[in-house]
Amino acid sequence: MTTNAEIAARLEEFADLLEADDVEYKPRAYRRAAENVRAHPSPIADRVAAGDREVLENIDGVGDAISAKIGEYVETGGIEELEELRGELPIDIADITRIEGVGPKTAGKLYRELGVETLDDLEEAAEDGEVQEVKGFGPKTEQNILENLEFARTVGQRQLLGEARPLADDVLAYLEGLEAVERCEVAGSIRRWRETIGDVDVLASTADGEAVVEGLLAWDSVDDEIESGPEKASVRVGESRVDLRVVVPAEFGSALQYFTGSKDHNVALRNYAIDRGMKLNEYGAFDVSSEARSASSSRTESDNDVEDHEVDQRVGDRVAGDTEEGMYEALGLDWIPPELRTDRGEIEAAAAGELPALLERDDIRGDLHTHTEWSDGNTSVEAMVEAAADRGYDYFGIADHAEGPGVVGDMGLADDDILEQVEEIRAVGDDAEIEVFAGIEANVDAAGEIDLSDDVIDALDVIVASTHSALSQDAEAATERLVRAVENPAIDVLGHPSGRLLNERSGLEFDATALGAAAADHDTALEVNSNPRRLDLWGSAVQAAIDEGAVIAVNTDAHRPATLEYVRWGVHTARRGWAEPADVINTWELAALRQFLH
């Protein structure tokens, strides 16, 4: 199955190789098309394969040339012109550009000057001191490359949650349609909503494991069979690996708990069980106290309603396993939501009945950080506001880019442009069904300052201030920078605080506890940016901030109506940080939010 993400990745590779070859203008067009393809709400390949080319005509930024390449890729699995570019520039462009400060132009120059094609080539050249000898480089750049090689290698092995979860939903929908499947659910890091995942793990309960395995292998979306057996199978779907495990119905709950993880959570939970005379594993929860052992010694394995295999894993009296909730209940614990299973105090909270009532998607009343065609968005103010109203929101904020460090090209608005846009936002708001906030996304410079005039600040309803440059600062400098920003009374929301791009750049490291304390003291919200390439703040940072009394804003950073759906990823990221509705300012009623912003 060719996914939108896979098509977008090919267009992005095209853009990178063109830029590495010093081609102007075209790379930007390919990147814009890639972004819109990635965000398209329906599977483009399915419609193109069915002869529906209109879907491509209606995607902003996809002209005749790019449309033809997408069609060629869907039909043949390749793009001839892209293959030619790869031949001219045999660079592992995606891997090399994951190193902070190494973009496509830099990669192209390193290839031409030093013959660097892979991360291994780059590491060897940097260790030999050859990089600093290339014009435009130096010892600092060379050292940065060496320090970021491990990051580049590690992230290349994982897929973004926002790309993998839609595939997981498709797998579940398909399996649920198989007659032999009684229950099925995703497991592993994807069920915990981790920002990146390795494989798509799926668990199914059935009385006929072979039928379910054969059913998965027969799915039209499967490109390759990696391996299969009577109880599990691994297949390749597009660029993703899907791992299926089947279990008998009586063991579905225990297997789901076990294979969801995390490893740290499961180890802590097993130790908690041992202290109480219990044993947990993928087959169930067993009472292994001396009394239970004695009582169960005369029983046969069939008395426990499970198959006669792995008997050594089923010592004692089986007291739970049919349901996941039962596994926790057997230990006297409340059921722990998957997002919290990280061994950060969730077991103790479950034992005390103090687990948080986590944020739900329906709690979100609006979005305070979105973009339009005034900067780098793809549609009008009116269209974005209409889309927000259609979602049932109570309020909505436009926050296009102000000019400043890190904003690409001429996409940032000068003060006069901002004031002009405010007038348009007010006019749209007058006719809208919902409250519309006039905002801006200002740029936090290296010292933690923003550059907006007093007139602009006074005219705006909400100021989101974000980092876009100087992202290689050390942790101490970065913390001081971000703390200074949240101390600024003009700033309402600190946007994507680290500036990271998942699988692309690591962004700033900082003390989330110190930042949370400062934000709480100065009534500044910290953003969970829901763009699946950011998810910034992340779970542990959200938890640290909330523990200090800070509030957060779950915003999408949407650049078109379709990407307002990114809120799904932001909500689950906030849940990983133990966020309750009251911790999130855009769950508040309008009057309370207005009071906070002022």
Side-chain angles (χ1 to χ4, degrees):
M1 178 178 70
T2 301
T3 64
N4 291 354
E6 186 179 343
I7 296 171
R10 297 292 78 75
L11 297 178
E12 287 164 345
E13 183 185 4
F14 219 117
D16 286 345
L17 288 173
L18 288 170
E19 187 174 341
D21 203 27
D22 289 331
V23 175
E24 296 184 1
Y25 308 119
K26 280 188 177 182
R28 182 174 175 180
Y30 276 90
R31 290 196 179 97
R32 181 182 181 189
E35 188 174 3
N36 293 335
V37 165
R38 192 184 299 275
H40 198 273
S42 63
I44 292 170
D46 290 352
R47 294 177 62 177
V48 171
D52 178 11
R53 289 299 183 102
E54 285 189 17
V55 64
L56 299 177
E57 296 173 6
N58 294 326
I59 298 175
D60 190 34
V62 176
D64 291 343
I66 295 178
S67 175
K69 289 179 176 64
I70 293 175
E72 181 185 357
Y73 187 73
V74 171
E75 293 169 5
T76 69
I79 302 173
E80 185 177 352
E81 193 174 336
L82 178 58
E83 293 297 333
E84 292 173 358
L85 269 175
R86 288 170 174 168
E88 295 168 7
L89 290 169
I91 309 170
D92 289 344
I93 195 78
D95 288 346
I96 290 176
T97 54
R98 287 190 183 104
I99 294 178
E100 180 69 26
V102 178
K105 282 186 178 293
T106 302
K109 191 170 187 178
L110 290 170
Y111 169 71
R112 288 187 290 271
E113 297 288 336
L114 302 175
V116 170
E117 298 181 8
T118 67
L119 285 174
D120 289 342
D121 294 341
L122 183 57
E123 181 176 30
E124 182 178 351
E127 287 180 341
D128 291 345
E130 295 176 353
V131 171
Q132 62 180 288
E133 300 300 326
V134 177
K135 186 177 179 180
F137 292 75
K140 186 175 181 180
T141 301
E142 191 171 74
Q143 184 60 33
N144 176 74
I145 288 171
L146 290 170
E147 291 175 354
N148 284 277
L149 277 164
E150 182 179 356
F151 170 81
R153 287 191 171 106
T154 302
V155 299
Q157 300 169 10
R158 299 186 66 83
Q159 188 176 10
L160 299 183
L161 171 67
E163 296 173 353
R165 181 71 206 207
L167 170 59
D169 293 340
D170 290 343
V171 176
L172 288 179
Y174 174 76
L175 290 175
E176 286 168 353
L178 297 180
E179 184 177 351
V181 172
E182 296 193 15
R183 288 183 288 178
C184 62
E185 181 57 274
V186 292
S189 55
I190 202 166
R191 186 170 181 238
R192 303 195 310 275
W193 298 86
R194 187 175 172 183
E195 57 262 42
T196 62
I197 65 102
D199 305 317
V200 175
D201 296 311
V202 186
L203 184 73
S205 71
T206 178
D208 188 351
E210 291 187 5
V212 177
V213 168
E214 291 172 1
L216 176 65
L217 297 178
W219 188 26
D220 290 343
S221 295
V222 170
D223 294 313
D224 293 298
E225 175 186 337
I226 299 172
E227 60 180 339
S228 64
E231 297 179 345
K232 58 185 178 181
S234 296
V235 297
R236 185 75 58 189
V237 179
E239 296 184 336
S240 301
R241 174 176 171 136
V242 177
D243 291 331
L244 168 70
R245 182 177 291 266
V246 295
V247 298
V248 295
E251 294 174 351
F252 183 76
S254 52
L256 183 60
Q257 191 286 317
Y258 179 86
F259 289 113
T260 294
S262 67
K263 180 179 179 181
D264 290 341
H265 172 81
N266 282 357
V267 169
L269 193 66
R270 287 200 299 269
N271 288 336
Y272 186 89
I274 289 169
D275 290 343
R276 286 152 183 81
M278 300 283 288
K279 178 179 180 178
L280 301 185
N281 54 41
E282 62 190 280
Y283 306 107
F286 300 87
D287 186 342
V288 292
S289 63
S290 57
E291 294 84 356
R293 284 179 180 275
S294 176
S296 64
S297 61
S298 61
R299 292 196 181 115
T300 65
E301 189 64 28
S302 60
D303 291 330
N304 283 332
D305 193 28
V306 292
E307 295 179 13
D308 188 19
H309 67 289
E310 300 284 355
V311 175
D312 59 317
Q313 295 293 318
R314 301 183 175 95
V315 174
D317 187 6
R318 187 174 187 268
V319 297
D322 288 30
T323 67
E324 189 179 58
E325 291 81 359
M327 293 290 289
Y328 289 95
E329 184 180 349
L331 299 175
L333 301 175
D334 292 338
W335 177 77
I336 299 174
E339 296 97 324
L340 301 188
R341 300 180 195 177
T342 57
D343 193 25
R344 294 202 309 264
E346 69 275 10
I347 295 174
E348 294 79 3
E354 296 176 353
L355 286 170
L358 294 177
L359 175 73
E360 299 285 351
R361 190 170 172 178
D362 289 345
D363 294 323
I364 301 295
R365 294 173 178 263
D367 197 328
L368 302 176
H369 180 183
T370 64
H371 294 269
T372 73
E373 60 193 5
W374 276 78
S375 64
D376 60 341
N378 286 34
T379 191
S380 66
V381 171
E382 184 177 13
M384 291 297 287
V385 171
E386 288 179 356
D390 289 344
R391 295 180 67 85
Y393 282 163
D394 296 335
Y395 42 79
F396 188 69
I398 302 293
D400 274 308
H401 286 286
E403 61 183 4
V407 177
V408 177
D410 58 354
M411 291 183 181
L413 304 180
D415 283 0
D416 289 346
D417 298 323
I418 296 171
L419 293 173
E420 184 180 346
Q421 190 197 31
V422 168
E423 293 181 7
E424 179 178 322
I425 293 172
R426 299 288 184 224
V428 171
D430 288 342
D431 296 330
E433 301 173 4
I434 61 177
E435 188 76 10
V436 182
F437 293 120
I440 200 71
E441 184 180 9
N443 303 285
V444 178
D445 67 19
E449 304 289 347
I450 60 172
D451 185 17
L452 296 175
S453 70
D454 289 342
D455 287 344
V456 166
I457 291 172
D458 291 342
L460 294 168
D461 300 314
V462 56
I463 295 176
V464 179
S466 308
T467 57
H468 295 103
S469 61
L471 300 180
S472 59
Q473 289 176 313
D474 62 39
E476 182 177 357
T479 302
E480 291 178 359
R481 171 189 186 180
L482 298 179
V483 166
R484 176 169 291 190
V486 300
E487 289 175 345
N488 187 330
I491 296 175
D492 301 297
V493 180
L494 182 67
H496 52 74
S498 81
R500 75 179 185 179
L501 289 174
L502 292 167
N503 284 2
E504 296 179 44
R505 69 184 184 211
S506 55
L508 297 170
E509 294 183 8
F510 57 87
D511 184 337
T513 297
L515 180 60
D521 288 344
H522 294 274
D523 290 331
T524 303
L526 303 178
E527 183 179 73
V528 172
N529 189 294
S530 304
N531 187 312
R533 304 180 106 175
R534 290 191 183 275
L535 300 183
D536 177 13
L537 294 170
W538 49 93
S540 59
V542 171
Q543 186 177 9
I546 289 175
D547 285 347
E548 293 301 315
V551 291
I552 64 173
V554 176
N555 294 324
T556 61
D557 201 354
H559 285 58
R560 64 197 54 78
T563 50
L564 291 173
E565 185 59 27
Y566 285 167
V567 69
R568 180 188 192 190
W569 319 123
V571 165
H572 283 285
T573 299
R575 286 169 61 94
R576 283 175 60 84
W578 297 52
E580 298 184 295
D583 301 316
V584 183
I585 64 171
N586 48 318
T587 69
W588 299 355
E589 294 185 358
L590 178 59
L593 179 60
R594 275 199 172 280
Q595 184 176 0
F596 176 85
L597 295 177
H598 283 82

